[in-house]
Amino acid sequence: MNSKLVITLSLIFVVTACSKTPDQNTYKQTDRPTVTAQFEQSDEMISKYLDQLDDPNTTLDDKKRIVCVDYPKEYKSNYMPSLLKLNPENYTEAKLLSDLDIALSYYKEKENIQCP
């Protein structure tokens, strides 16, 4: 009798413990559209910055502001956190910061920009 009770309680415990995991996944799935929208908005903003940096009609002052302030702020505040939430298995913070440094170094050298 005791063994049946122990087995039954163990089975109930296992079923209950396993059923809690989908609740956590459901939360992540409901949050995903918001994070995706944030990522897409940030990606669009970064694309605009890159277009401005590649546009010969953009003034040097505007390029300096984009390279030194706007682009890194958008990247670190919105783009990178959203991307890490959406795809953590393929990206790390260190890798994304390295990519940012590479991009900024390219434009700093290309336009001879010195950030304060």
Side-chain angles (χ1 to χ4, degrees):
M1 175 88 170
N2 283 341
S3 64
K4 287 183 183 181
L5 181 61
V6 170
I7 291 172
T8 304
L9 289 174
S10 298
L11 189 58
I12 290 172
F13 176 73
V14 169
V15 169
T16 304
C18 291
S19 69
K20 298 233 183 238
T21 303
D23 291 343
Q24 293 169 351
N25 290 338
T26 303
Y27 173 74
K28 289 179 182 177
Q29 291 300 326
T30 58
D31 192 37
R32 189 169 180 86
T34 303
V35 175
T36 301
Q38 290 170 345
F39 172 77
E40 289 172 355
Q41 183 179 5
S42 183
D43 187 54
E44 184 178 321
M45 182 63 71
I46 286 177
S47 293
K48 286 180 184 177
Y49 289 147
L50 294 175
D51 289 343
Q52 287 178 312
L53 289 170
D54 291 330
D55 184 351
N57 295 323
T58 304
T59 67
L60 186 58
D61 285 339
D62 286 341
K63 288 182 180 185
K64 184 175 181 177
R65 178 183 40 78
I66 291 168
V67 168
C68 296
V69 179
D70 296 342
Y71 184 94
K73 180 180 177 185
E74 180 65 29
Y75 189 92
K76 290 177 183 177
S77 301
N78 298 314
Y79 183 85
M80 192 171 72
S82 298
L83 187 56
L84 288 171
K85 287 179 187 174
L86 290 172
N87 207 347
E89 60 278 353
N90 292 328
Y91 297 99
T92 64
E93 184 175 344
K95 171 66 172 130
L96 292 173
L97 288 174
S98 173
D99 291 347
L100 173 63
D101 287 340
I102 291 168
L104 292 178
S105 294
Y106 169 77
Y107 285 105
K108 286 177 182 178
E109 186 177 320
K110 177 183 175 190
E111 300 295 335
N112 196 25
I113 294 174
Q114 301 291 323
C115 294

